[in-house]
Amino acid sequence: MTDPASTALRTDHYELTMLSSALRDGTAQRDCVFEVFTRSLPGGRRYGVVGGIERVLDAVENFRFDQRTLEALERDRVCDERTLDWLREYRFTGDVDGYPEGELYFPGSPVLTVRGTFAEAVLLETVILSILNHDSAVAAAATRMSSAANGRRLIEMGSRRTHEDSAVACARISYLSGFTATSNLEAGARYGIPTAGTSAHSFTLLHDNEREAFRAQVDALGAGTSLLVDTYDITEGIRTAVEVAGTELGAVRIDSGDVGVLARQAREQLDSLGATGTRIVISGDLDEFAIASLRAEPVDVYGVGTSLVVGSGAPTAGMVYKLAEVDGRPVAKRSSHKESRGGSKAALRRHKPTGTALEEVVYRNGAGHEPPAAGPHDRFVQTPLIRGGRRVENLPGLEDNRQRLRHALVSLPWEGLKLSSGEPAIPTVFENR
Amino acid sequence: MTDPASTALRTDHYELTMLSSALRDGTAQRDCVFEVFTRSLPGGRRYGVVGGIERVLDAVENFRFDQRTLEALERDRVCDERTLDWLREYRFTGDVDGYPEGELYFPGSPVLTVRGTFAEAVLLETVILSILNHDSAVAAAATRMSSAANGRRLIEMGSRRTHEDSAVACARISYLSGFTATSNLEAGARYGIPTAGTSAHSFTLLHDNEREAFRAQVDALGAGTSLLVDTYDITEGIRTAVEVAGTELGAVRIDSGDVGVLARQAREQLDSLGATGTRIVISGDLDEFAIASLRAEPVDVYGVGTSLVVGSGAPTAGMVYKLAEVDGRPVAKRSSHKESRGGSKAALRRHKPTGTALEEVVYRNGAGHEPPAAGPHDRFVQTPLIRGGRRVENLPGLEDNRQRLRHALVSLPWEGLKLSSGEPAIPTVFENR
């Protein structure tokens, strides 16, 4: 097993064969610009949400070929001796600009721009795309859920439905996207995100009856805990819960059934028992549409699992890492519908004086290109992330980016917050081509 | 950051609050049986494929609460002092039985049975489900693709479309499921799976023209390499490829367009140029349906990316980890449609004398329960995996399980190999309830 901290083998075989060939003919040293963007938003979504930038920066820092990694490449004859020698010294020394985490993006937005020699920059393709495609897919789904929840609390609890490491990234992204807490303890430990959880059906079944289970939980966690009331009969469960915990009971959770109806009944019953402050937590196969449909019901907290970690129908964001420039000359594939626009690009987001976003202007930048004129309400979206191989200091953290996303959503035209499929919330306009 | 080798925090918060409560009232020491199963197969699939057992066994072995882990739990006030003390000594000492990797499963199949005290067994829920839900979802999709490819070679190249660690697991599972190779170098290094890859469009664009790119690649990798011919014009690309590499050219790859038509044209052109042994590799948005639809075309190798790593429409397998028995007494939730069958269970797969599978018999086992009579063609599906906390020795490896899956597919009734949605290939019959 290779060093789990090194990200160097999170890489497609062909990155190394390309490197071998390019080292041999000298093209490896050509100055290149690679651009990460998406051609469209999946499923007619109105906006994308950038997730994973912080993890990309970590991955680039940890992209080193240690001894075990090099031995594996040699044993499997992935590349020649010259390439192995070159990899031994590898460290990215170029520049990276990109959209900050929590920023919205649209088709063609230059989400990340990587500048360096071909050799240095091509190697990062796979790991950068893995992170951005995964985290941004989850970010879009989670943000739609937050938006649908309309201020009510959301708890992420999908760890069991996805790869155990993916689960940690999902928990982080859910927090970025406005969730209140996650069930994932590793995410709590690693990123300082609030974690939450009380009990499962197994805890009730473990006991001789529901009352004993509730008693045990309240004894251990206090009356402010959340009791799961749908193991046997919900009405009975709620009555027992209030009898055991008193009217100070923190919350009841319902995990199955027609949750809208059940929430209303639970609210009435709790109120009639005097537990007017007891919250109602609803979980079980919720997605953004189910959350929106519960707006009129007395739900206080949503627990969301599966649909979040699988991107609610769009588990990958469809971003690509395309060579856009070689030695200052724009390049692009041109055989099919998958055509790309050549040349290094940046973006200006135009807004009305009210602050509402108008359009995403994607323009050629670099030598010989003037940026478009920016009005007082417009802003350039890319920010410097890496300079000369070093992470730019004092980049915004998770809390800042959480706020950024919240503000960005407010800037969308109202149609842009629709859950239904349609056109992107704002058009992308290409200038200076 | 916690120790990445420890799996202990790949865990939902509520497993630890349940543990706290159960340690307090003494129920933590009750003997429990937890069962992993699925209520249905996603999307009307005909069979499921067990993936991830080997990784589950690793995760259980590495499920230890080290100092950093305990400090994180204490800092975040996840559980009380007594629980932290108990966790410090944690190590699973129970038994696990399960379906081997590469085995087929059906609704209700007892894929994994975990026996131990409540305290020991409940903690493993999240990480076991994460692994089995992820790996089995990918295994089902990959197996359907292998089956559709009908003996032609398949290369997995989806790493960039999923979380960077999930990608490694996907590569491993693709090999289990009959793929020939993967692009993922970490999977090659860690699991000894063959890796493959040659070049991307960026390599062609890096060069002043296609001919120079092909020349560089052939110089570095030999004429047996695979040249990507669709950066500009495919007909032109194939002509140049054969001019540069000669008729010994290993393969051409086409990554876009109407690949069926393009494959036929490429075959004719290659043959007319005398490159009759040059293979045709097709990639770009292939799933099991696209692969099947290319059966009549002269395709030698399929490269599969996105659809594999996202489970081709079913990114999670829907397995649950349910408490089935407490101190020998069957237990089950009973408030809704999500009802489970209580009691510890095992499975017998019945076959016709021809070897064709007939039914999955799921029966109560343990004290007071006789297993059903097994005919000469029938077999018990579960095998011991962990005894007294220790992994059973000489368990079959990845190659064995790859063969197991191949044989299992042959045993299905022919309708069971259909790609269309419908009933499971064989019914599940519950006995001795």
Side-chain angles (χ1 to χ4, degrees):
Chain A
M1 189 152 150
T2 55
D3 177 7
S6 163
T7 52
L9 291 191
R10 263 57 170 181
T11 298
D12 286 325
H13 187 119
Y14 79 5
E15 317 289 6
L16 293 190
T17 44
M18 286 193 277
L19 174 63
S20 290
S21 305
L23 284 174
R24 221 181 132 96
D25 80 346
T27 52
Q29 297 312 318
R30 293 188 173 182
D31 285 324
C32 286
V33 179
F34 283 89
E35 185 183 287
V36 176
F37 65 95
T38 183
R39 295 187 176 90
S40 62
L41 299 173
R45 297 218 176 137
R46 310 307 182 104
Y47 56 83
V49 177
V50 176
I53 295 292
E54 186 72 22
R55 299 209 306 117
V56 163
L57 298 178
D58 290 342
V60 171
E61 270 180 2
N62 295 321
F63 204 92
R64 303 290 179 94
F65 293 83
D66 54 25
Q67 197 51 36
R68 279 181 298 176
T69 306
L70 292 166
E71 279 165 15
L73 294 177
E74 190 167 15
R75 184 197 65 202
D76 298 346
R77 268 171 261 160
V78 174
C79 47
D80 57 18
E81 198 60 43
R82 181 212 311 246
T83 309
L84 290 172
D85 286 342
W86 190 89
L87 293 175
R88 190 166 286 118
E89 305 300 322
Y90 180 81
R91 148 175 142 61
F92 180 71
T93 64
D95 295 341
V96 178
D97 291 81
Y99 282 35
E101 266 191 311
E103 183 56 87
L104 304 181
Y105 68 87
F106 302 94
S109 292
V111 170
L112 204 78
T113 305
V114 179
R115 289 187 175 74
T117 62
F118 179 77
E120 278 192 17
V122 76
L123 286 185
L124 301 175
E125 175 177 24
T126 312
V127 74
I128 285 178
L129 286 179
S130 289
I131 294 172
L132 293 181
N133 273 323
H134 176 270
D135 286 13
S136 300
V138 175
T143 303
R144 284 160 58 87
M145 293 169 192
S146 296
S147 171
N150 213 12
R152 291 177 178 173
R153 292 172 59 198
L154 286 156
I155 302 177
E156 188 278 315
M157 40 177 74
S159 294
R160 64 190 55 195
R161 302 284 176 227
T162 188
H163 185 281
E164 69 277 19
D165 293 312
S166 166
V168 184
C170 288
R172 177 179 173 281
I173 288 295
S174 74
Y175 187 72
L176 171 78
S177 306
F179 278 51
T180 322
T182 175
S183 67
N184 189 287
L185 290 172
E186 178 69 28
R190 199 185 291 181
Y191 301 116
I193 298 166
T195 64
T198 52
S199 62
H201 296 113
S202 63
F203 186 75
T204 300
L205 295 173
L206 169 69
H207 287 81
D208 296 337
N209 55 58
E210 198 172 43
R211 183 177 300 269
E212 288 184 21
F214 290 174
R215 168 60 57 207
Q217 188 178 325
V218 169
D219 282 352
L221 306 176
T225 191
S226 172
L227 292 171
L228 180 60
V229 293
D230 70 340
T231 305
Y232 305 112
D233 175 85
I234 296 178
T235 307
E236 185 74 25
I238 291 175
R239 188 180 312 127
T240 308
V242 176
E243 279 173 21
V244 169
T247 54
E248 302 302 294
L249 174 61
V252 295
R253 177 159 80 96
I254 300 172
D255 185 51
S256 49
D258 183 350
V259 289
V261 175
L262 295 174
R264 235 175 304 146
Q265 291 173 349
R267 183 72 272 154
E268 282 170 20
Q269 190 186 355
L270 286 167
D271 289 349
S272 75
L273 295 168
T276 52
T278 300
R279 291 187 304 279
I280 296 176
V281 184
I282 294 293
S283 58
D285 297 331
L286 296 180
D287 60 13
E288 62 269 46
F289 303 103
I291 291 168
S293 75
L294 289 169
R295 269 195 199 172
E297 308 303 338
V299 177
D300 299 286
V301 185
Y302 301 98
V304 181
T306 309
S307 66
L308 182 128
V309 300
V310 303
S312 198
T316 187
M319 290 190 194
V320 292
Y321 186 93
K322 291 294 169 192
L323 183 59
E325 226 172 86
V326 178
D327 286 340
R329 162 180 63 89
V331 298
K333 178 169 179 292
R334 54 163 198 266
S335 73
S336 79
H337 65 290
K338 280 192 186 174
E339 216 165 314
S340 312
R341 289 175 180 79
S344 171
K345 295 179 280 301
L348 174 73
R349 188 164 302 158
R350 291 200 194 277
H351 297 82
K352 293 185 197 176
T354 57
T356 303
L358 265 177
E359 59 184 20
E360 186 90 334
V361 180
V362 177
Y363 61 92
R364 288 286 308 281
N365 66 355
H369 295 283
E370 285 296 310
H377 306 286
D378 304 337
R379 62 190 172 81
F380 293 96
V381 197
Q382 280 200 339
T383 56
L385 298 170
I386 293 178
R387 284 291 173 268
R390 289 181 184 281
R391 190 191 295 228
V392 170
E393 282 176 27
N394 300 320
L395 289 174
L398 187 56
E399 289 291 347
D400 304 311
N401 292 331
R402 193 167 187 249
Q403 292 307 320
R404 177 194 311 282
L405 175 54
R406 198 199 290 254
H407 293 141
L409 288 174
V410 173
S411 78
L412 284 183
W414 69 270
E415 307 90 358
L417 292 174
K418 280 187 173 174
L419 294 178
S420 59
S421 67
E423 293 297 308
I426 58 172
T428 306
V429 177
F430 293 90
E431 281 189 7
N432 300 346
R433 295 183 55 183
Chain B
M1 187 153 152
T2 57
D3 177 7
S6 164
T7 53
L9 290 191
R10 262 59 170 179
T11 298
D12 285 326
H13 187 118
Y14 78 5
E15 317 289 7
L16 293 190
T17 44
M18 286 193 278
L19 174 64
S20 291
S21 306
L23 283 173
R24 221 179 134 93
D25 80 345
T27 52
Q29 297 311 317
R30 294 190 173 180
D31 285 324
C32 286
V33 179
F34 283 90
E35 186 182 285
V36 176
F37 65 95
T38 183
R39 295 187 176 89
S40 62
L41 299 173
R45 297 216 178 140
R46 311 307 182 104
Y47 57 83
V49 177
V50 177
I53 295 292
E54 185 73 21
R55 298 210 305 117
V56 163
L57 299 177
D58 289 343
V60 172
E61 270 179 1
N62 296 323
F63 203 92
R64 304 290 179 91
F65 292 83
D66 54 26
Q67 197 50 36
R68 278 181 299 177
T69 307
L70 292 167
E71 280 166 13
L73 294 177
E74 190 168 13
R75 185 196 64 201
D76 298 346
R77 269 171 262 162
V78 174
C79 46
D80 58 18
E81 198 60 44
R82 182 213 310 249
T83 309
L84 290 173
D85 286 342
W86 189 90
L87 292 176
R88 191 166 285 120
E89 305 301 321
Y90 180 81
R91 144 174 147 63
F92 180 69
T93 64
D95 296 340
V96 178
D97 292 80
Y99 282 35
E101 267 192 311
E103 183 57 87
L104 304 181
Y105 69 88
F106 303 93
S109 293
V111 169
L112 204 77
T113 305
V114 178
R115 288 185 176 77
T117 62
F118 180 78
E120 279 194 13
V122 77
L123 286 186
L124 301 175
E125 174 175 24
T126 312
V127 73
I128 285 179
L129 285 180
S130 289
I131 294 173
L132 293 181
N133 274 324
H134 176 269
D135 285 14
S136 299
V138 175
T143 303
R144 284 160 59 87
M145 293 168 191
S146 295
S147 171
N150 213 12
R152 291 176 178 175
R153 294 172 57 197
L154 286 157
I155 302 177
E156 188 277 314
M157 39 178 75
S159 294
R160 66 189 55 195
R161 301 285 176 225
T162 188
H163 185 280
E164 68 278 17
D165 293 312
S166 166
V168 184
C170 287
R172 177 179 173 279
I173 288 295
S174 74
Y175 187 71
L176 172 79
S177 306
F179 277 53
T180 322
T182 175
S183 67
N184 189 286
L185 290 172
E186 179 68 28
R190 198 184 292 180
Y191 301 116
I193 297 167
T195 64
T198 52
S199 63
H201 296 112
S202 63
F203 186 76
T204 300
L205 295 173
L206 169 70
H207 286 82
D208 296 336
N209 55 57
E210 197 173 43
R211 182 177 301 270
E212 286 183 25
F214 288 173
R215 167 60 57 207
Q217 188 178 324
V218 169
D219 282 351
L221 306 175
T225 191
S226 172
L227 292 170
L228 180 60
V229 294
D230 69 342
T231 305
Y232 303 112
D233 175 86
I234 296 180
T235 307
E236 185 76 23
I238 291 176
R239 188 181 311 128
T240 308
V242 177
E243 279 174 20
V244 169
T247 54
E248 302 303 294
L249 175 61
V252 294
R253 178 158 81 95
I254 300 171
D255 186 51
S256 50
D258 182 350
V259 288
V261 174
L262 295 174
R264 234 174 305 146
Q265 291 173 347
R267 184 73 273 156
E268 281 170 22
Q269 190 186 354
L270 286 168
D271 289 349
S272 77
L273 295 169
T276 53
T278 300
R279 291 187 304 280
I280 296 176
V281 184
I282 295 292
S283 58
D285 296 329
L286 296 180
D287 62 11
E288 62 268 45
F289 303 105
I291 291 168
S293 75
L294 288 168
R295 269 195 199 172
E297 308 303 338
V299 176
D300 299 285
V301 185
Y302 300 99
V304 180
T306 309
S307 65
L308 183 127
V309 300
V310 303
S312 196
T316 186
M319 290 190 194
V320 293
Y321 185 91
K322 290 294 169 194
L323 183 58
E325 226 172 86
V326 178
D327 285 341
R329 162 180 64 89
V331 298
K333 178 170 180 291
R334 55 163 198 267
S335 72
S336 79
H337 66 289
K338 278 192 185 174
E339 217 164 311
S340 311
R341 288 173 181 81
S344 171
K345 295 178 281 302
L348 175 73
R349 189 163 301 158
R350 291 202 194 276
H351 298 81
K352 292 186 197 175
T354 56
T356 303
L358 264 178
E359 60 185 21
E360 186 89 332
V361 180
V362 177
Y363 60 92
R364 289 284 308 281
N365 66 355
H369 294 285
E370 285 295 308
H377 306 286
D378 303 338
R379 61 190 175 79
F380 293 96
V381 196
Q382 280 200 339
T383 57
L385 298 169
I386 293 177
R387 283 294 172 267
R390 288 183 182 279
R391 189 191 295 230
V392 169
E393 282 178 24
N394 299 318
L395 288 173
L398 186 56
E399 289 290 346
D400 304 310
N401 292 331
R402 191 167 189 250
Q403 292 305 318
R404 177 193 314 282
L405 175 53
R406 198 198 290 256
H407 292 141
L409 289 174
V410 173
S411 80
L412 284 182
W414 70 268
E415 306 89 358
L417 292 174
K418 280 184 173 176
L419 294 178
S420 59
S421 67
E423 294 297 308
I426 57 172
T428 305
V429 178
F430 294 89
E431 282 190 8
N432 299 347
R433 293 183 58 185

